[in-house]
Amino acid sequence: QDGPQRKKRRSEVGEVDKQLDILAIGTAVGSILLYSTVKGELQSKLDGGHDSRVNCVRWHQDNCCLYSCSEDKHIVEWNTQTCKVKCKWKGDNSSVTCLCISPDGKMLLSAGRTIKLWDLETKEVYRHFTGHATSVSSLMFTTVKPMNESIPFDGITGLYFLSGAIHDRLLSVWYIRSDRKEKNAVMSFAVTDEPIFVDLTVSEVKEEPVKLAVVCRDGQLHLFEHILNGYCKKPLTSNCTIQIATPGNDGDSTPKPVPILAAAFCTDKQSLLLVYGNTSQPVIEKVSLNTSEPHICLVRDIQKVLSLKTDAALTKVKTPVVNSDTKVLVPGIPGHSTAVKTPASGKEKKKNKRKPGEAEESIEERLGALDIDVSKVKTPGGLPQTDSLAVLLVQGLESNDAEILNKVLNTRKENIVKSTVARMPIYAVIPLLHELTKRLQGNPYSASLMVRWLKSVFTLHASYLSTLPDLIPQLGMLYQLMESRVKTLQKLSRLHGRLFILASQVAASEAVQDVPEVNQTAKLVYEDESSEEEGSDDEMIADKDSDENWDEDEEKEEQSDEQDMTVEKEINGDSDLEPENESEEE
């Protein structure tokens, strides 16, 4: 502070610097404005550093340096005494969105999507970290000393820092190691929506927990309290959730939520400063909280409160009278055309200018000309496309319209179901799960259709569902339903197997009965010629067999044998005039 440049400045500016009441404001054109809160006027302007929008500015705690980052991928170190660029270097391959200076003032954290730790003396990267999938919006150190006091402290190794990104419901905590091996986060904090404001109490002692206050875009405040002591795989949920609502006495019995805009810890690390209400007229209040309760709702009666926008459904769309050749689209459903009533005059077009003496149209006639014939409204090709189905599904869930829900949820095509679930907004996932659970308890045909939607929801929105702290209570009914059905699966499988065996046996027996009987009689008999001796031997063998088997009918068999022999002789051409053969046969 005693350098030559310092002496050249005016004494009043020096007093302003000592009081630390200069506000640095980054602009969209790349310049930085230094505003004096004591004088209430602009003190100086820093130009020539950035070519694009300034994303973040950070004061150095020890000297008069100011650090800024921009969409032009560069980081600039400013000398606020001379209002000139002290150093400028490329910080990332894409835009740099956030900065944070280390507690000892020798290191600088910068982040676009990946996070880098810079040595401010050499302007070289000291460590790389994985970062987030989207642009980082907040960076801050959570500790000033390493937790392991046995290791000598070099000013940066062993410290923890916190990062949050847009559209990311997880705040990550990173650990600066002495080696370059580990680049991933050691733990994370789960919140209900994108964080818009983060404040914490820095841990100065090993046993002192870090207190974290996170304000989300949905207007809730989440409080965390955790001792940073190494790796933690599962995301940590909040110890306490704070909401603000109106009492609901003034003509409306329903309390309305009041969004919390920001929150900061006081110097005692116990009480909080809450900023809530309208962004143009915020209310600032100091609150002492007991974090033993998991959920706190503060009732505040404020005027002109900016309530959360929950009902976004569009109803009763009025379309002006236009030419019949014009295609009219209803807002909310892409490609949804509607029929419009033509004016009563028909062919003649009415001019804007009214002739003198002509009666002016009444308000009733004008409103009648704007009505839409709802009965003629048709959707081309039956159901709309997947983007329209997603809009219809959200509207049906918000209005609890059974007709719309039946039309959407009865879709059988797998690809349409997946596309619809992928396009639907995050806030509609839990209401859709509740609706599917309710429909699963119906008939089996409806349940088979709902299982397809459940599969797509759990596949595409698993990351969102895993961050919800009260997921198990919300899905309790679904768990019980699935468990009861799985219990009966084994019995039903056995019954199905037995019925299948019975049905197959009945079918087999019917198939055997339906087979026609085969005629066993020979179509053609051929007998080869044989000698008389062979014939006589055969007859003797036949006689012996007949004697053994049929003792009672010997005489009858002999007579029949004689007759058979005479027939054979006639067939073989033998005459009855041979007595020798006859005696032998007898």
Side-chain angles (χ1 to χ4, degrees):
Q1 295 179 355
D2 299 327
Q5 294 178 344
R6 177 68 180 171
K7 293 178 181 178
K8 291 179 182 178
R9 305 191 67 185
R10 294 178 296 181
S11 60
E12 56 182 2
V13 178
E15 292 174 1
V16 169
D17 282 339
K18 287 182 180 180
Q19 293 172 358
L20 298 177
D21 53 12
I22 298 179
L23 187 64
I25 306 170
T27 62
V29 296
S31 59
I32 298 175
L33 308 177
L34 298 182
Y35 184 82
S36 173
T37 57
V38 172
K39 297 180 181 179
E41 62 181 17
L42 188 66
Q43 178 176 310
S44 56
K45 184 178 179 181
L46 308 180
D47 279 327
H50 296 293
D51 302 328
S52 185
R53 181 169 65 93
V54 177
N55 290 324
C56 182
V57 289
R58 287 287 182 266
W59 287 99
H60 196 282
Q61 55 263 44
D62 295 334
N63 51 39
C64 296
C65 289
L66 180 71
Y67 294 89
S68 62
C69 61
S70 170
E71 293 283 335
D72 62 4
K73 310 175 186 179
H74 286 80
I75 302 172
V76 175
E77 180 181 3
W78 299 88
N79 189 333
T80 55
Q81 297 176 354
T82 60
C83 298
K84 293 183 179 179
V85 175
K86 190 175 180 180
C87 184
K88 180 179 179 180
W89 70 97
K90 187 175 181 180
D92 207 334
N93 292 328
S94 59
S95 62
V96 185
T97 57
C98 200
L99 297 174
C100 181
I101 299 173
S102 64
D104 63 349
K106 296 181 180 179
M107 295 285 180
L108 175 71
L109 280 172
S110 72
R113 293 183 179 178
T114 60
I115 303 173
K116 298 179 181 178
L117 182 64
W118 300 86
D119 187 346
L120 288 178
E121 292 184 3
T122 61
K123 304 298 187 295
E124 294 180 355
V125 178
Y126 181 71
R127 291 286 182 272
H128 275 279
F129 299 94
T130 307
H132 297 260
T134 54
S135 299
V136 175
S137 58
S138 57
L139 275 176
M140 54 186 66
F141 279 89
T142 59
T143 54
V144 293
K145 294 180 181 178
M147 295 302 172
N148 191 355
E149 298 176 355
S150 61
I151 302 176
F153 183 46
D154 59 356
I156 194 66
T157 304
L159 298 185
Y160 290 89
F161 68 90
L162 179 82
S163 67
I166 59 173
H167 308 305
D168 193 347
R169 292 181 298 278
L170 288 179
L171 292 162
S172 301
V173 177
W174 312 81
Y175 180 64
I176 302 173
R177 301 177 182 273
S178 57
D179 53 10
R180 297 174 179 263
K181 294 180 181 179
E182 188 63 40
K183 296 181 180 180
N184 297 325
V186 294
M187 66 181 68
S188 57
F189 299 100
V191 292
T192 55
D193 204 347
E194 173 190 343
I196 58 172
F197 195 89
V198 182
D199 190 48
L200 54 82
T201 61
V202 178
S203 175
E204 299 178 356
V205 190
K206 181 178 180 182
E207 292 79 11
E208 183 183 3
V210 172
K211 292 183 179 181
L212 183 66
V214 183
V215 179
C216 298
R217 191 168 293 279
D218 57 6
Q220 299 186 48
L221 169 63
H222 299 276
L223 297 179
F224 299 85
E225 189 170 344
H226 186 73
I227 299 176
L228 303 179
N229 53 2
Y231 183 75
C232 182
K233 184 177 182 181
K234 188 177 180 181
L236 301 172
T237 56
S238 60
N239 298 41
C240 180
T241 301
I242 301 173
Q243 291 178 299
I244 300 179
T246 58
N249 296 329
D250 300 335
D252 187 7
S253 60
T254 305
K256 294 183 179 180
V258 180
I260 301 175
L261 306 176
F265 285 100
C266 299
T267 53
D268 58 357
K269 298 185 180 181
Q270 298 296 328
S271 54
L272 276 170
L273 278 177
L274 295 182
V275 182
Y276 57 90
N278 199 326
T279 51
S280 59
Q281 295 177 347
V283 179
I284 302 176
E285 180 182 351
K286 185 176 181 180
V287 181
S288 298
L289 299 171
N290 181 15
T291 56
S292 61
E293 297 181 15
H295 191 91
I296 299 174
C297 184
L298 304 176
V299 179
R300 297 290 184 269
D301 189 8
I302 60 172
Q303 299 294 329
K304 299 179 181 180
V305 61
L306 180 65
S307 61
L308 289 176
K309 191 175 182 180
T310 54
D311 298 330
L314 196 61
T315 57
K316 295 183 180 179
V317 179
K318 298 292 182 181
T319 308
V321 177
V322 291
N323 191 3
S324 59
D325 298 334
T326 307
K327 183 179 179 182
V328 181
L329 301 180
V330 177
I333 305 177
H336 186 180
S337 60
T338 178
V340 181
K341 284 185 178 180
T342 56
S345 60
K347 298 179 182 178
E348 297 181 0
K349 294 183 179 179
K350 295 185 178 181
K351 297 181 181 180
N352 294 332
K353 294 183 178 179
R354 185 166 52 90
K355 296 180 180 179
E358 185 180 353
E360 187 179 358
E361 283 187 346
S362 64
I363 299 296
E364 183 179 358
E365 292 175 353
R366 292 182 183 182
L367 292 176
L370 296 177
D371 286 340
I372 299 174
D373 190 359
V374 183
S375 62
K376 296 181 180 180
V377 176
K378 295 182 180 178
T379 54
L383 280 174
Q385 299 301 319
T386 53
D387 52 352
S388 305
L389 277 179
V391 175
L392 276 178
L393 181 58
V394 174
Q395 290 179 351
L397 291 172
E398 290 181 350
S399 61
N400 201 13
D401 192 334
E403 185 178 352
I404 296 178
L405 291 174
N406 289 335
K407 184 180 291 186
V408 177
L409 295 178
N410 288 337
T411 306
R412 296 183 180 87
K413 293 185 179 180
E414 198 77 23
N415 55 347
I416 294 181
V417 172
K418 288 183 179 179
S419 302
T420 304
V421 174
R423 290 171 183 267
M424 65 183 296
I426 291 296
Y427 62 83
V429 172
I430 293 297
L432 176 60
L433 283 178
H434 291 329
E435 181 66 27
L436 294 176
T437 304
K438 185 171 68 175
R439 289 171 178 261
L440 272 175
Q441 302 172 10
N443 55 17
Y445 176 74
S446 175
S448 63
L449 291 176
M450 297 308 108
V451 167
R452 301 180 184 178
W453 287 89
L454 274 177
K455 179 182 177 183
S456 299
V457 170
F458 288 139
T459 304
L460 298 171
H461 296 288
S463 57
Y464 166 68
L465 293 173
S466 62
T467 61
L468 295 177
D470 55 344
L471 179 64
I472 294 178
Q474 290 190 3
L475 298 185
M477 181 66 72
L478 182 61
Y479 287 153
Q480 294 175 6
L481 188 64
M482 294 172 66
E483 189 175 353
S484 62
R485 294 205 174 193
V486 170
K487 281 183 180 178
T488 58
L489 177 63
Q490 189 174 5
K491 297 178 182 178
L492 288 174
S493 299
R494 290 178 182 173
L495 178 61
H496 178 267
R498 292 174 182 174
L499 291 175
F500 178 76
I501 293 173
L502 286 174
S504 59
Q505 288 179 353
V506 171
S509 62
E510 290 178 353
V512 171
Q513 291 176 3
D514 293 342
V515 175
E517 294 183 358
V518 180
N519 189 6
Q520 300 295 337
T521 58
K523 300 294 183 182
L524 177 66
V525 178
Y526 173 76
E527 293 182 0
D528 194 6
E529 294 182 357
S530 60
S531 63
E532 295 176 358
E533 295 178 355
E534 290 175 354
S536 62
D537 292 340
D538 294 338
E539 291 298 328
M540 290 175 69
I541 293 170
D543 290 341
K544 288 179 182 179
D545 294 338
S546 63
D547 291 340
E548 292 175 358
N549 297 325
W550 309 96
D551 293 334
E552 297 177 356
D553 301 330
E554 286 182 0
E555 296 177 357
K556 294 180 180 180
E557 287 179 357
E558 288 175 358
Q559 292 176 2
S560 63
D561 290 340
E562 289 176 0
Q563 292 175 0
D564 293 339
M565 285 302 299
T566 56
V567 174
E568 275 187 356
K569 287 178 181 180
E570 289 177 0
I571 293 172
N572 295 332
D574 297 335
S575 64
D576 295 337
L577 301 176
E578 293 180 356
E580 297 177 358
N581 293 337
E582 279 184 337
S583 61
E584 287 178 359
E585 289 171 0
E586 290 175 357

